[in-house]
Structures are given as structure tokens and as C-alpha cells.
Amino acid sequence: MANLAHVAMLVVAAGRGARMGVGAPKQYRPLGARPVLAETLARAALAEINPILTLIHADDGDAYAEAARLSNVAPTRLRSATGGASRQASVRLGLEALAAAGFPADGLVLIHDAARPFLNEAVLLRAILAGARHGAAIPVLPVADTLATLDEAGMLATNPDRASMRIVQTPQVFRFGLIHAAHQRFKVQDGFTDDASLACAAGHDVATFAGDADLFKITLEADLARATLLLQAGQSESRSGIGYDVHAFTEGDHVMLGGVKVPHNRALLGHSDADPVLHALTDALLGTIGDGDIGVHFPPSDEKWRGAPSRVFLEEAARRVLAAGGRILHVDTMILSEAPKIGPYRAAITGKIAEILGLSEGHVGVKATTMEGLGFIGRREGIAALAIATVQFGRG
Ligand code: MG
């Protein structure tokens, strides 16, 4: 059984990315707002792994430092060392650096390609558990496509049975003493493309655990495009904003509630049409993008808004949310009114708000309560409204 108090990771990032052609090595190419390697390091840190040692090319010191900074991983958990001329040599140098730092032989080391950024907690945990149990284990995926071997003329030769075939990924995980010794043994025999094949050649059984389809390796430009889409999907977030408004009664024969004219023996006093429902909703929407409040955008001091229909305010708030990349998912509002009764107008108010915001009526809540005669609402001095809006940003 391995010593789970000591789990390290080697991140292999010394390659020059020849297959990707022009530009920086793939591990330093931008993926969203930061380099691929920064994403890899950030996700490696999701598990209790320390240190995370990156093998870098001698020319990449500055690029690595920037990626490490942008990963937001505590600097105390990150190390780097100069890699070698091959992947195998880089890993061996990393293992030697761990040994020199006193890393225990019964600790675990995960060996991971920098160009597979989408690590997650579940696959890291599977790796650590499989490594602890077996001493050597690799993440694999089943093969969905039919496989073929070709003859020298490029013609179909055979169809190997895919049932026993697996796609091999990283992080591969080993008891430190085992993989360190195996790499020392093959020090002069370079050419192993991964550490499992080297461990196998050294006579060790290598177990498997479930990999993750998102752990694909960024090799071609198309892979980087796929990674960018995956990152954006993962960055989707929803935000909620709240709003509250109140208007006092004055002389009149109707009130505006949710854009609907409701007959009453009083009116609501305000600079615009004094609709507390649409005002609360406007503030709720502005809250989701941190864009001030209704008073900032439509100051009562501005004559332009005198008597204005409040749907103008709500439409402008919705436009600002859209411009900020948001999609309104749902709004809900609570009207606090002793009189008039809201029930007979609920459907009309729901329909009006849905129409203004382009939502289905099932995504608009309109509720009402009296205040049981308590407070200024209860004394029929005015009407108040509460609102909440939920907005999604990003894909997904
Ligand atoms: Mg108001």
C-alpha cells in the first residue's frame, strides 16, 4: 500500500510541439484567458497533490513562470525543473529531482502530459486510489470506432478486435520507488512513449482505471478549438439579482402594476408611471451585471422620464444584460398590496412581463400578498414589490 501522505505530480511540458506547426509550444498556447499549462496546473491542484513539478524546456523559464502565476496555485506547491531531449528523459529528470528532494519511495507520483488540461477531481481521485492499490495504473477509455490495420499499399488488411483495445491517457500513476527504479534501468534505452510501457518492460503489472473523454491531448489546431469550447462550456455561470420598490398612493383612479393598468380608487405617486413591479424587476436585472440601479440610469431629475412607461426601464435593463453576455432564465416578483387585489390581474401581469423580456410565461413568477393590516402597506399608504432575476452567462 502506498503512502497517501505523499502524492506528487510530474507535468511533462518540455516538448516543442512540432506537430502543431507554427507558434508557441502547445502547452503555452492560449486557452481562454491563460496558457494551456496554467489550466493544467490549476486543475492538478484540485486534488491533494504536492509538489506539482513541471518539466520545462530550458528556453521556457519565463513562459512557465507566467503560466504558474496565472494558474493561481499556491507557489509553495509548484516546482519546475529542466527537462530532457525526449519525454522519457524529462520524466526521468523529474523523478531524480523528486528523489533528491527526499520524496519517499512509497509515495505516489502521477505523471501527466501538460497538453491534457482538463483534469478533474474525480479522475485524480481514481488515479490516486488505483495507484495506492496497484502500484502502477493508467487511465483508459474504450474504443468506440472500428479499428483497422493497413497493408503497405494503404489497403485494409485486418480489423483488430476492439473489445480488448483501450485508448491510454494520462495521468499515469506509480509508486515512486517503482517508477524511479524502472526509469533508471532504461536510462540508456530511450524511446518509450509513455511511462506505463516502460514500467511494463521493467516487469511490473500495470492496472487500469476509467479515464475521461475530456482528457484528450491537445496536438492539432482542431484540438485547441475543441478545448476552447469545452472551457467556455465549463465557465457558464448563473447569477441572481434582487430588486425592491415602493410607491405611495395619491389621488387617481388606477395603478400600474407589471405594465398592466389596474383600476383602483387611488393612483401611485412617482416621476414615471410609478410601477413598482417593473421597477423592482429592472433593479433585479441590473443586479445580475453589477450595473448600478434604476436611479442611476433613469434619474428622477431627468425630465425625459416624466410619466414614462416603466417598460422602457425594464427593456433597457434587459438590453444591458444581453450586451454583457447574459441570457435571462427566469424572473419572479412578489407584490405587497392591501388593495387592490392582484389575483384578477395576475395572468395579464405575467403575460406582460413575459412579453417585455421575451420569456415564456412559465419563466415569470407573479405573486401577491397583503400585509394583514400591518405597517404602511397594511395602512393602505402604498404598494411595494420584490423581484429576483436569474441570468446565465457563458455557454451550457
Ligand atoms: Mg420606483
Side-chain angles (χ1 to χ4, degrees), residues 278 281-282 285-286 294 298 309-323 328 352-353 355-358:
L278 296 193
L281 282 167
T282 299
L285 284 182
L286 292 172
I294 192 170
F298 310 100
S310 295
R311 70 174 293 151
V312 172
F313 307 154
L314 187 57
E315 284 167 349
E316 172 62 11
R319 191 195 64 75
R320 285 174 175 270
V321 166
L322 193 68
I328 302 169
K352 179 63 73 176
I353 294 169
E355 178 248 315
I356 294 171
L357 295 179

Side-chain angles (χ1 to χ4, degrees), residues 121-160:
E121 277 183 283
V123 80
L124 288 167
L125 190 61
R126 288 200 294 276
I128 291 167
L129 292 176
R133 184 164 173 203
H134 301 288
I138 55 174
V140 295
L141 292 179
V143 178
D145 296 320
T146 295
L147 296 172
T149 64
L150 307 184
D151 65 18
E152 286 173 6
M155 305 296 278
L156 177 64
T158 65
N159 287 115

Side-chain angles (χ1 to χ4, degrees), residues 15-30 36 59-60 63 219-221 224:
R16 307 317 285 155
R19 269 181 291 187
M20 198 116 144
V22 295
K26 62 201 172 202
Q27 61 272 27
Y28 297 112
R29 296 283 296 274
V36 169
D59 296 342
D60 291 343
T219 305
L220 308 170
E221 288 293 338
L224 194 58

Side-chain angles (χ1 to χ4, degrees), residues 10 53 55 90-100 109 111 176 179-181 183-184 195:
L10 298 185
L53 193 163
L55 284 314
S90 290
V91 172
R92 190 187 68 248
L93 290 167
L95 295 168
E96 288 173 359
L98 284 180
V109 58
I111 302 176
F176 178 64
I179 195 67
H180 185 222
H183 266 274
Q184 291 303 316
D195 303 286

Side-chain angles (χ1 to χ4, degrees), residues 48-375:
E48 299 274 325
I49 296 173
N50 191 9
I52 300 167
L53 193 163
T54 305
L55 284 314
I56 64 174
H57 190 275
D59 296 342
D60 291 343
D62 290 346
Y64 167 76
E66 178 72 354
R69 186 180 69 77
L70 292 171
S71 74
N72 293 322
V73 178
T76 52
R77 292 177 69 185
L78 297 179
R79 306 261 190 290
S80 68
T82 303
S86 66
R87 184 187 190 284
Q88 183 182 332
S90 290
V91 172
R92 190 187 68 248
L93 290 167
L95 295 168
E96 288 173 359
L98 284 180
F103 195 77
D106 64 350
L108 278 185
V109 58
L110 283 69
I111 302 176
H112 186 60
D113 299 329
R116 298 181 192 267
F118 294 105
L119 291 163
N120 59 62
E121 277 183 283
V123 80
L124 288 167
L125 190 61
R126 288 200 294 276
I128 291 167
L129 292 176
R133 184 164 173 203
H134 301 288
I138 55 174
V140 295
L141 292 179
V143 178
D145 296 320
T146 295
L147 296 172
T149 64
L150 307 184
D151 65 18
E152 286 173 6
M155 305 296 278
L156 177 64
T158 65
N159 287 115
D161 178 16
R162 70 183 176 203
S164 65
M165 298 283 202
R166 296 291 183 273
I167 293 164
V168 177
Q169 303 180 310
T170 75
Q172 302 185 350
V173 57
F174 305 92
R175 205 160 48 241
F176 178 64
L178 180 160
I179 195 67
H180 185 222
H183 266 274
Q184 291 303 316
R185 176 171 163 187
F186 290 109
K187 193 167 180 173
V188 294
Q189 184 183 330
D190 209 323
F192 289 96
T193 55
D194 74 348
D195 303 286
S197 55
L198 188 149
C200 209
H204 297 291
D205 290 335
V206 178
T208 63
F209 59 95
D212 190 306
D214 290 346
L215 268 178
F216 62 91
K217 188 174 187 176
I218 298 174
T219 305
L220 308 170
E221 288 293 338
D223 302 323
L224 194 58
R226 178 182 169 197
T228 302
L229 288 176
L230 193 59
L231 187 75
Q232 287 169 349
Q235 283 173 339
S236 145
E237 63 170 330
S238 77
R239 302 183 207 154
S240 297
I242 62 166
Y244 173 77
D245 192 36
V246 59
H247 285 269
F249 282 131
T250 184
E251 300 300 314
D253 63 2
H254 72 276
V255 296
M256 293 301 294
L257 293 174
V260 172
K261 186 173 177 177
V262 177
H264 190 48
N265 57 9
R266 309 279 279 158
L268 290 171
L269 181 63
H271 185 67
S272 63
D273 68 2
D275 185 332
V277 179
L278 296 193
H279 293 185
L281 282 167
T282 299
D283 270 347
L285 284 182
L286 292 172
T288 66
I289 52 172
D291 191 5
D293 61 19
I294 192 170
V296 170
H297 297 289
F298 310 100
S301 55
D302 190 337
E303 275 305 306
K304 189 161 88 179
W305 308 117
R306 178 173 296 284
S310 295
R311 70 174 293 151
V312 172
F313 307 154
L314 187 57
E315 284 167 349
E316 172 62 11
R319 191 195 64 75
R320 285 174 175 270
V321 166
L322 193 68
R327 183 166 68 91
I328 302 169
L329 295 181
H330 173 259
V331 295
D332 190 16
T333 180
M334 185 89 207
I335 304 169
L336 313 181
S337 172
E338 211 70 22
K341 294 294 176 206
I342 306 304
Y345 302 95
R346 184 198 311 269
I349 293 170
T350 303
K352 179 63 73 176
I353 294 169
E355 178 248 315
I356 294 171
L357 295 179
L359 294 172
S360 73
E361 295 189 3
H363 292 74
V364 175
V366 174
K367 310 183 306 299
T369 184
T370 71
M371 297 295 279
E372 301 287 344
L374 298 172

